[in-house]
Amino acid sequence: MYKYIYMFFTSRYLLEQDFPGMRIGPEPTTDSFIAVMYGETEGNVPGNALVVDPKKPFRKLSRFGNAFLNRFMCSQLPNEVLKSISIIDSPGILSGEKQRISRGYDFCQVLQWFAERVDRIILLFDAHKLDISDEFSEAIKSFRGQDDKIRVVLNKADQVDTQQLMRVYGALMWSLGKVIDTPEVLRVYIGSFWAHPLRNTDNRRLFEAEAQDLFKDIQSLPQKAAVRKLNDLIKRARLAKVHAYIISYLKKEMPSVFGKENKKKELINKLPEIYIQLQREYHISAGDFPEVKKMQEQLENCDFTKFHSLKPKLIETVDNMLANKIASLMNLIRQEESNMPTEMVHGGAFDGTMAGPFGHGYGEGAKEGADEEEWVVAKDKPAYDEIFYTLSPINGKISGISAKKEMVTSKLPNSVLGKIWKLADCDGDGMLDDEEFALAKHLIKIKLDGYELPGTLPSHLVPPSHRKPFQTAE
């Protein structure tokens, strides 16, 4: 596909501008698939023209017919975000059998086509409306086999209080568990992903952290594009190999003259048993086989006598590729990625998460006091000094044993306290003076408040007496 594509997300929020063909409202306003892509000039390309354009990756969508193509379009605009990613804006999900039929095309088949080719699938839920309709349930099931691409966004979480949010989150996980048949727990990002003021600010810090995690997930995709394409190649190769075993088995079991139609029906009905037999014979994992029901439906329209027999040399070539060639290709990709500059998504909502005082964590935890002239620990130092002098310092310093007695009262694990000791003992003499002790207490407070400790001590946290004087040129 064209660069990197996402589904089921608020495109307007990411781009921070309207795009041709966009409509937003409380009712299901979008009735079309819109491919939002970069273009020097703003404009639309209708579906029928889009699928015959050799420069666009949508040519195979023509098989879904005019009913779909009349509801498919490409919206192009010069937006910085779209230089790195493209977005598929999907139709609103409907409820009711009549509304599903009225689409005029196989909605789930179209979703499956896109799901096999995108880098990330994002499912969007509102905190005050968690219903998973029949169509939404079928849509999610069409993503089967693409579970690693799925992320869930619980939007408008600021419209409920903390207690209600916990219940909403639990209800969402329960509902998803019934639809998505996987032992892994899906990553759910909780927040308010729109540009309106927060109605409930109690969970502002949580929303900021969740938004930052989501943006990092999206921004990391360009760096891993080649690896993901290689992963898809491996999946397709394994699936093609399994299909070869299935097709050759069906071909072998067919009679040469009479009873072909009855034998075909028998083999289709016995497909689950055939799967098990092939698993044992060729030592194939059950997860590599296509879905039984779907395979049975496809086989109904096939002439088994025209299937090809198994070609061991071709199977051997695939095995050799998977065992040897892929490993070499992976090493080449890693070398190329290490030599290339880091590619990130820029523009739109992404620029608001990077730098400046409103970036995530700015002025909090270990970053507190970074833009202040006064040492940030100084405001609490008098209280820390009282504790320090109760520990019987000798020559202005306390030993590690004395410091440990006080530090363990925080009930933090020894591994964390050990890291704090290493950061606080600025001169590495195995003892703490009053400023180093105050720093240790400050770092403990940072950890107890739920923030992460820095890997190395930031310059603004270094005690004043331990800072190196500026060297002036003579």
Side-chain angles (χ1 to χ4, degrees), residues 367-381:
K367 298 177 183 178
E368 183 184 358
D371 52 1
E372 298 176 8
E373 291 185 8
E374 186 180 1
W375 189 37
V376 68
V377 184
K379 60 184 179 182
D380 296 319
K381 190 172 182 296

Side-chain angles (χ1 to χ4, degrees), residues 22 117 282 297 418 433 444-445 469 473:
M22 184 193 77
R117 291 160 176 83
Y282 297 105
E297 291 174 355
D433 60 25
I444 288 173
K445 182 177 180 294

Side-chain angles (χ1 to χ4, degrees), residues 283-472:
H283 307 289
I284 306 172
S285 171
D288 288 344
F289 282 81
E291 187 181 349
V292 173
K293 186 177 179 181
K294 184 178 177 181
M295 191 67 175
Q296 287 174 326
E297 291 174 355
Q298 292 177 335
L299 290 174
E300 289 284 353
N301 302 317
C302 297
D303 183 354
F304 288 10
T305 59
K306 294 183 179 180
F307 287 165
H308 294 284
S309 301
L310 188 67
K311 297 179 180 179
K313 286 187 177 180
L314 292 179
I315 296 295
E316 187 178 336
T317 301
V318 173
D319 288 338
N320 180 52
M321 179 196 72
L322 294 173
N324 302 311
K325 301 292 179 65
I326 292 295
S328 301
L329 190 56
M330 181 67 77
N331 288 331
L332 291 174
I333 290 174
R334 286 173 178 166
Q335 291 175 13
E336 184 177 342
E337 288 180 345
S338 64
N339 296 328
M340 292 177 64
T342 302
E343 184 179 354
M344 299 289 284
V345 182
H346 295 280
F350 297 97
D351 284 350
T353 66
M354 295 179 185
F358 298 99
H360 174 61
Y362 190 94
E364 300 176 356
K367 298 177 183 178
E368 183 184 358
D371 52 1
E372 298 176 8
E373 291 185 8
E374 186 180 1
W375 189 37
V376 68
V377 184
K379 60 184 179 182
D380 296 319
K381 190 172 182 296
Y384 298 148
D385 284 347
E386 290 183 13
I387 301 172
F388 178 78
Y389 288 110
T390 64
L391 300 175
S392 305
I394 300 174
N395 297 326
K397 294 190 175 185
I398 59 173
S399 65
I401 295 175
S402 298
K404 179 181 178 181
K405 290 178 181 178
E406 171 59 28
M407 292 172 68
V408 295
T409 61
S410 66
K411 298 183 180 180
L412 288 172
N414 284 348
S415 57
V416 175
L417 293 176
K419 184 174 182 179
I420 291 173
W421 172 270
K422 185 177 180 181
L423 291 170
D425 186 12
C426 297
D427 53 15
D429 64 353
M431 304 182 77
L432 301 181
D433 60 25
D434 61 318
E435 288 186 343
E436 291 174 321
F437 177 77
L439 174 60
K441 293 291 287 184
H442 181 74
L443 293 172
I444 288 173
K445 182 177 180 294
I446 288 174
K447 190 62 181 176
L448 292 176
D449 286 344
Y451 297 98
E452 291 301 318
L453 295 171
T456 57
L457 191 65
S459 58
H460 71 276
L461 287 182
V462 176
S465 64
H466 292 270
R467 295 176 184 177
K468 295 179 180 180
F470 289 104
Q471 300 293 326
T472 56

Side-chain angles (χ1 to χ4, degrees), residues 9-17 192-195 211 215 348-349:
F9 198 52
T10 50
S11 310
R12 173 67 178 78
Y13 175 75
L14 292 180
L15 301 178
E16 291 189 341
Q17 76 172 92
S192 182
F193 297 92
W194 59 350
F215 286 145

